[in-house]
Amino acid sequence: MKERKAMNRALVSTEVSTKPAPWADDAKVLADVAEISRQQLAPAAYRIDHEGYYPLDIMAKLGQAGAYAAHQDRYGCRYPLALATMTEISRHCGSTGFMSWAHDVCGLYMEQSGNPALLARLDDHVAGITFGGTGLSNPMKALTGIEKMALKAKKVAGGYRVSGTLPWVSHIATGQYCGAIAAVEKGDGSPSHEIMFLLDLDERVTLRACPEFSGMEGTSTWAIPLVDYFVSEDQMIADPAGPFVQRIRGAFVLLQVGIAAGVIQGSIDSIREVEPVLGHVNQYLHDRPDELQAEYDDILARAMTLAETPFDGSKDYLLDVLDLRTQGAELSLKASTSALLHQGARGYLMSSAPQRRIREAQFVAIVTPAIKHLRWEMAKLMNEELPA
Amino acid sequence: MSAQQLKQDSPWRQYICLACGLIYDEELGDPDSGLPPGTRFEDIPDDWQCPLCGVTKVDFELFEKPAILACDKGTVFNRQPGVVIVGAGLAGWSVAEQLRQQDAEIPITLISACNGDIYHKPELSIALSRGFEQSELVRESGVDAAQRLGVRLLPNTLAVGLSPALHQLRTTRGSFHYTKLVLAQGSKPALPAELPAAVCWRVNTLSAWSGLQRALAKGSSRVAVVGAGMVGCELAEDLARAGHQVTLIDRDNTPLSALLPEAAATRLSSGLAKLGVKFLGGQAIRAVEPRADGSRAIVLASGLSIEFDQIVAATGLVTDNRLARQAKLDFNRGVVVDADTLRTSEPAIYALGDCISLDGKPCRFIEPIKHQARAIADAVLELDSEAYAHNAPVIRLKTRSVAIVLHGLPSPDGHWRMVQEDADGLIMEQVSGEQVISRLNLGSPNQSCAA
Ligand SMILES: Cc1cc2nc3c(=O)[nH]c(=O)nc-3n(C[C@H](O)[C@H](O)[C@H](O)COP(=O)(O)OP(=O)(O)OC[C@H]3O[C@@H](n4cnc5c(N)ncnc54)[C@H](O)[C@@H]3O)c2cc1C
Ligand SMILES: Cc1cc2nc3c(=O)[nH]c(=O)nc-3n(C[C@H](O)[C@H](O)[C@H](O)COP(=O)(O)OP(=O)(O)OC[C@H]3O[C@@H](n4cnc5c(N)ncnc54)[C@H](O)[C@@H]3O)c2cc1C
């Protein structure tokens, strides 16, 4: 109890101060994030999922508790902790888990850019004072050959001019920002290379509403149409972007496993919750909690090992991460479906977590890299390369 | 054991009346109708009637309790997933054949990176000169073989992850559970960094061979074969016989230096030379440089640069350790297996063929595979059988210019003794202590056949 009070005080005080807390103690960060997720996020999950409530207030508190710091070099490159906090958040609300991932990788881009102008903005980002997401879905697919690059850039004095539309980017709003990549064209229109930059969504950009999604409605997801948007040196993350993306890809995908882990853990929680009253009929179901738990533990153990070396550039490491991410998505689907079957009608209520988690799991399975992209990429990496 | 004893020893059984559900328990009997406790079902008179509904004993059936009644028991009602085999080379298919011969029912799933077509890999190093194309080398399509053997084949599917605790294999087409897993993933070419995959052919699969075959179909070409091991020497001869200008390059001074004493290697070189193969020994490669006209230059450590139309790397084979590493299987230049059972360090996982190592040594030949497959099938089906006994296979080089037959496994730094030598050939032996550990017969085809 005493501890709880101390923490509440800490929260109140960070609300007024803009200085980040030290966040050095892994156990405390995790406990604080878990507490906020349980007490504030879980009750808001319905509003977020259903009424499209964009929970920046809660994300600010999570940021102040250190949820968005652990993976950053300047806070000790603690990927295991970053995964653990993302799991806690996603366990109670997958939408916020996804936005936390987007926020985390945006911070990753800013820090790894080494650009002083972006580094100067990093502390506010990490502390949840300013917010930003990531629009790398299309470029990540484009760079591995699945589709074409949506944004095109032309070199101009002092920077680039970028045009094109990113179809849907989450955790953004006017005044916020996101990481983006554009294909640079030479004077004659032929492709040159790619640039990566922090896209500031200021008065030059009018966000376009997206059609209604079956879930993730509270993730503030918009289309971003750009017409001759000027990208200055201060916004540059990497030029050329290719080697940079190569370097961060493992970490980018690995962090997503936190979303899957939360959805799975939440599903197992829901199954166990009704075991005392429904166990006698639930025994007839597939994918019982112990089976799910065993597979979940396997995933978690591998995730924690991979989290020790997030910048391992080897092909085998990337394959391990892609394999883990795929398994995470598959188990999310299986566990969330099972949770609904275990809970029955009570899980089918619009206000209940199991039906929401099914849609969250589906999102984990289709968000880039989707299961199909992951398998495609793994096959590409593993198949023998032969002369043309 | 007498019938009487059997009767007494076997556990009491229960029989259920199909009409009314009454259970007759042998232990309790039916004293009301004159059957004392302990009356076996067979001993009940035919005119006995069900005490509840009056049907006779023909309407009774052995009753087996449903295994799980309590809700807290973990329910496992999935059918056993059966055997999953990774790799559809000779090793993978041999295990499938052996299993199916002895068990018509057991589910077999064969997962393979290739399309599963069955071919005889040794033919790849003699097929160019015989003018074959890919389709002519296929003995049976994977689809046909799968149908014949009742195997579920997943072609063009790569195994990427393995969690033994879950009995789970993850692939690029989803994850699979197994009761027993057999690794038959073969080995892959070991390419040194200075030979980039995008410009150097390797001949270790039918599809890769076919790529080379098509590239050479345009006509006589300048071809470099890098690496003068068994595969490199055979390919060099095959390419020369197919009409190409072949240069065979090795960092060692003689071809097949790991196996052959100098006297024998010299004869091999001159045999190859007669076919037009130029041997460049003692030459390390610094780099391969693509040229604007599509040709490639090999730059030797000496600085010399030679132009070729095609480069074939035959620089050895390695076993990919990815699955073994993930599953924490013992691995030492190959998946470590028990020499008797071919079992890996995980009880439910077996391995055979090019991907394994026995005593730290891989053995990448055809002959042992059928014996290994047999041992694995017996173990998987829990049949009594003799342990696998590994013997170093006889090595017959398919070079027709100089026939080479090698018995036993020579030690690379052991001493060779000349037994017989004449213009046509030679016989040599390697002795360790009193024992002949290896015997080499090199000469005209006739001579070596007699060996
Ligand atoms: C709620 C929600 C939130 C999202 N938030 C984000 C976000 O924050 N950031 C982000 O980056 N993405 C976001 N996405 C996008 C998401 O990650 C996926 O990329 C998106 O759903 C499309 O993937 P897909 O699997 O449907 O595309 P796929 O089925 O893999 O392929 C369709 C794509 O291929 C392209 N294509 C098809 N044919 C061709 C061709 N012949 N040549 C070239 N291209 C071709 C199409 O343009 C299309 O983009 C979000 C999506 C949703 C639903
Ligand atoms: C040119 C040449 C000539 C030879 N000549 C002789 C000879 O004369 N005499 C002799 O005894 N031996 C010879 N050998 C050796 C012999 O061919 C091999 O020992 C034997 O074919 C090995 O069979 P295998 O099934 O173990 O491996 P492979 O035939 O290599 O089969 C491996 C299988 O595993 C699949 N696979 C690999 N990785 C994965 C994965 N991750 N997921 C799913 N599937 C995967 C592959 O697609 C393939 O189907 C020769 C070899 C070569 C290359």
Side-chain angles (χ1 to χ4, degrees), chain A residues 96-116:
Chain A
T96 310
F98 171 57
M99 289 190 284
S100 296
W101 168 79
H103 195 79
D104 273 5
V105 292
C106 186
L108 173 72
Y109 308 154
M110 292 163 80
E111 184 171 58
Q112 296 297 321
S113 75
N115 182 342

Side-chain angles (χ1 to χ4, degrees), chain A residues 279-280 283-286 288 294-295 298 302 316 319-320 323 327 330 375 378-379 382-387, chain B residues 70-71 75 77-78 158-161 163 166 168 170 172-175 197-202 208 322 325-326:
Chain A
H280 64 297
Q283 62 165 317
Y284 291 100
L285 289 171
H286 275 288
R288 299 278 291 143
E295 188 166 350
D298 181 77
R302 298 217 317 278
D316 248 327
L319 272 168
D320 282 349
D323 172 34
Q327 194 190 359
E330 287 170 0
R375 291 185 184 165
M378 289 190 290
M382 284 194 78
N383 272 319
E384 200 181 5
E385 186 191 5
L386 289 171
Chain B
C71 69
T75 319
F77 47 79
N78 288 336
L158 292 123
V160 288
S163 294
L166 306 170
Q168 182 193 56
R170 294 180 299 278
T172 50
R173 295 188 204 275
S175 49
V199 293
C200 296
W201 297 98
R202 284 86 66 201
R322 167 165 193 81
R325 181 174 52 75
Q326 277 214 348

Side-chain angles (χ1 to χ4, degrees), chain A residues 175-369:
Chain A
Q176 293 178 199
Y177 44 87
C178 66
I181 292 181
V184 181
E185 290 177 340
K186 293 187 197 144
D188 61 1
S190 66
S192 155
H193 65 291
E194 295 84 25
I195 53 163
M196 181 161 170
F197 57 98
L198 196 72
L199 173 54
D200 282 302
L201 302 162
D202 48 31
E203 67 291 340
R204 293 173 291 167
V205 185
T206 311
L207 296 176
R208 219 191 292 135
C210 287
E212 190 180 352
F213 297 114
S214 89
M216 298 284 138
E217 278 295 277
T219 58
S220 193
T221 300
W222 304 84
I224 311 178
L226 298 180
V227 183
D228 282 335
Y229 175 96
F230 177 71
V231 176
S232 73
E233 292 293 339
D234 282 354
Q235 292 170 277
M236 199 56 70
I237 293 172
D239 182 0
F244 183 88
V245 170
Q246 264 335 89
R247 191 154 57 84
I248 59 152
R249 260 181 82 187
F252 175 97
V253 178
L254 178 63
L255 284 170
Q256 287 184 332
V257 174
I259 317 170
V263 172
I264 299 164
Q265 183 62 71
S267 300
I268 297 174
D269 294 343
S270 296
I271 298 175
R272 296 213 193 276
E273 185 185 300
V274 295
E275 200 62 2
V277 283
L278 298 175
H280 64 297
V281 280
N282 283 348
Q283 62 165 317
Y284 291 100
L285 289 171
H286 275 288
D287 301 323
R288 299 278 291 143
D290 291 349
E291 280 170 71
L292 295 171
Q293 187 74 48
E295 188 166 350
Y296 178 61
D297 291 346
D298 181 77
I299 289 180
L300 223 52
R302 298 217 317 278
M304 289 308 161
T305 307
L306 293 175
E308 296 297 335
T309 55
F311 296 102
D312 180 334
S314 70
K315 183 164 116 178
D316 248 327
Y317 180 81
L318 184 59
L319 272 168
D320 282 349
V321 170
L322 300 177
D323 172 34
L324 179 74
R325 163 82 174 85
T326 313
Q327 194 190 359
E330 287 170 0
L331 187 60
S332 298
L333 291 171
K334 193 160 82 175
S336 61
T337 302
S338 179
L340 181 65
L341 298 182
H342 277 80
Q343 285 224 347
R346 70 188 80 183
Y348 199 60
L349 293 174
M350 204 65 231
S351 60
S352 82
Q355 56 76 27
R356 191 188 71 238
R357 277 202 200 94
I358 287 186
R359 291 178 282 110
E360 292 172 353
Q362 288 166 340
F363 183 72
V364 170
I366 63 137
V367 73
T368 307

